[in-house]
Amino acid sequence: MYAVKEDNPPVILKTQLPLLPKPPISMIPINYSSVLRPKNVHKYRAVIKVLRYGAKSKRFSTRIRTFFGSTLCKVRFFMTWISSLESFGDRELFAIESLFKFHPNACLVIVSNSMDSKKGSLFLRPFLDKGFKVIAIKPNFDYIFKNTHAESWFNELNKGDVDPGEVSLGQNLSNLLRLALLYKFGGIYVDTDVIVLKSFGKLRNVIGAQTIDLETGNWSRLNNAVLIFDKKHPLLFKFIEEFALTFNGNKWGHNGPYLVSRVVSRVYGRPGINFTVLPPSAFYPVNWSRIRSLFRGPGDKLHSKWLHRKLEQIRSESLAIHLWNKQSRKIKVENGSIINHIMLDSCIFCNSSSLNLLQYNQK
């Protein structure tokens, strides 16, 4: 197992003593038939859009099995992209670039309706031209969710008996897709805003802590932006079951980071469910509220020294950096910033890699 040191002050990670309160869990799926009432028409339209997104993608199973079967994959990576193609930008391109920088023999499947298109293929062409193995495929939800608790949940959604809630249904669908894809195929899931810094080759059945309690050393929250699991791992089964039985579309994170935290707090130590919780320094070395600090160039001498120390700490302790989606989307990368240095460490198309990729795509 890859050894990852903790952030200062040093603490011991003790997953057997979870700090999260255990919420009451209903074992009966909730029926929200009110979804079809007039005031909820906009929610129903969101459901229809999602159903249209992957309902008829019958070629998914053939294409993904052909892709894995015809290529020599050292490791399987998965990403999901539920948004429009126009939203797929420099950050997402660089996330792919960093992935292949440290896993040149990997296979990457991007499950996406928008990316599986003529225009979407232009984004991936530079990677294919360099010999990297990447494909974008429209999902087939029936195939992906089959023989899991997700299957019944999706059927209820299809019938209008699940309230999608106020949180983006696409976001919650991505939370479920990553679990089902790993359960069906095994491998590594990474968000499209995760910058890879080292090889994940020594990791197996791993989830990362987002925060820890400095007094006790216990994790206080896990995150699902990076998941590494064997095919049909029992913890993935528990995650999917929790999603289906306790789905709530009105609470941000309830079906994502909070879900994996709830489940792990209940099952840790049970026989037959073996996994490792890595400390925050592994994938989440900077909290979402401080992510801007990584994009700023050096100011005065004192700030420059801090940047240097933080950069060296990340380089030595972290396997990846999660950029916290909207918290960093519109932030400019300043010269001399930590992100600027990390981009130089992790680039394949160097000399301003994202610019080169964009120019390539426009040819």
Side-chain angles (χ1 to χ4, degrees), residues 40-89:
N40 289 321
V41 167
H42 69 286
K43 295 182 182 180
Y44 184 64
R45 286 174 178 168
V47 174
I48 294 300
K49 183 178 180 181
V50 167
L51 296 178
R52 190 184 303 122
Y53 170 82
K56 301 300 181 182
S57 305
K58 300 302 183 184
R59 294 179 57 208
F60 178 88
S61 59
T62 301
R63 291 182 67 196
I64 195 168
R65 291 187 182 280
T66 300
F67 178 65
F68 286 146
S70 62
T71 55
L72 297 176
C73 303
K74 291 290 185 181
V75 62
R76 296 174 177 179
F77 276 88
F78 294 91
M79 290 179 172
T80 63
W81 185 254
I82 309 300
S83 302
S84 67
L85 197 59
E86 289 70 28
S87 302
F88 199 90

Side-chain angles (χ1 to χ4, degrees), residues 58-126:
K58 300 302 183 184
R59 294 179 57 208
F60 178 88
S61 59
T62 301
R63 291 182 67 196
I64 195 168
R65 291 187 182 280
T66 300
F67 178 65
F68 286 146
S70 62
T71 55
L72 297 176
C73 303
K74 291 290 185 181
V75 62
R76 296 174 177 179
F77 276 88
F78 294 91
M79 290 179 172
T80 63
W81 185 254
I82 309 300
S83 302
S84 67
L85 197 59
E86 289 70 28
S87 302
F88 199 90
D90 294 355
R91 184 178 63 181
E92 290 73 30
L93 288 169
F94 192 75
I96 298 174
E97 189 173 344
S98 68
L99 184 158
F100 283 121
K101 170 75 172 187
F102 298 102
H103 305 87
N105 296 316
C107 294
L108 170 61
V109 175
I110 304 174
V111 178
S112 172
N113 192 54
S114 59
M115 287 293 290
D116 185 6
S117 63
K118 270 189 177 181
K119 192 173 180 182
S121 67
L122 295 177
F123 286 92
L124 303 181
R125 193 175 73 187

Side-chain angles (χ1 to χ4, degrees), residues 38 171 191 210 320 355-356 359:
Q171 178 180 315
D191 272 353
Q210 176 181 325
L355 178 60
N356 287 345
Q359 289 174 341

Side-chain angles (χ1 to χ4, degrees), residues 3 12-13 61 78 115 126 141 171 186-187 203 214 233 235 244 268 299 307 311 323 328 332-333 357:
I12 299 174
L13 200 66
S61 59
F78 294 91
M115 287 293 290
F141 297 131
Q171 178 180 315
L203 300 179
L214 294 179
H233 192 278
L235 185 59
Y268 185 82
L307 287 178
L311 175 61
L323 297 182
S328 68
K332 179 182 177 181
V333 179
L357 276 172

Side-chain angles (χ1 to χ4, degrees), residues 66 160 176 183 213 301 333 352:
T66 300
L176 181 57
Y183 186 74
D213 186 303
K301 188 174 181 180
V333 179
S352 185

Side-chain angles (χ1 to χ4, degrees), residues 202-235:
K202 296 182 180 180
L203 300 179
R204 185 180 176 191
N205 299 323
V206 161
I207 189 169
Q210 176 181 325
T211 56
I212 56 174
D213 186 303
L214 294 179
E215 292 184 2
T216 66
N218 301 320
W219 62 264
S220 54
R221 184 183 300 172
L222 306 181
N223 199 286
N224 63 341
V226 180
L227 299 168
I228 305 172
F229 283 98
D230 294 342
K231 179 180 179 179
K232 293 190 175 179
H233 192 278
L235 185 59

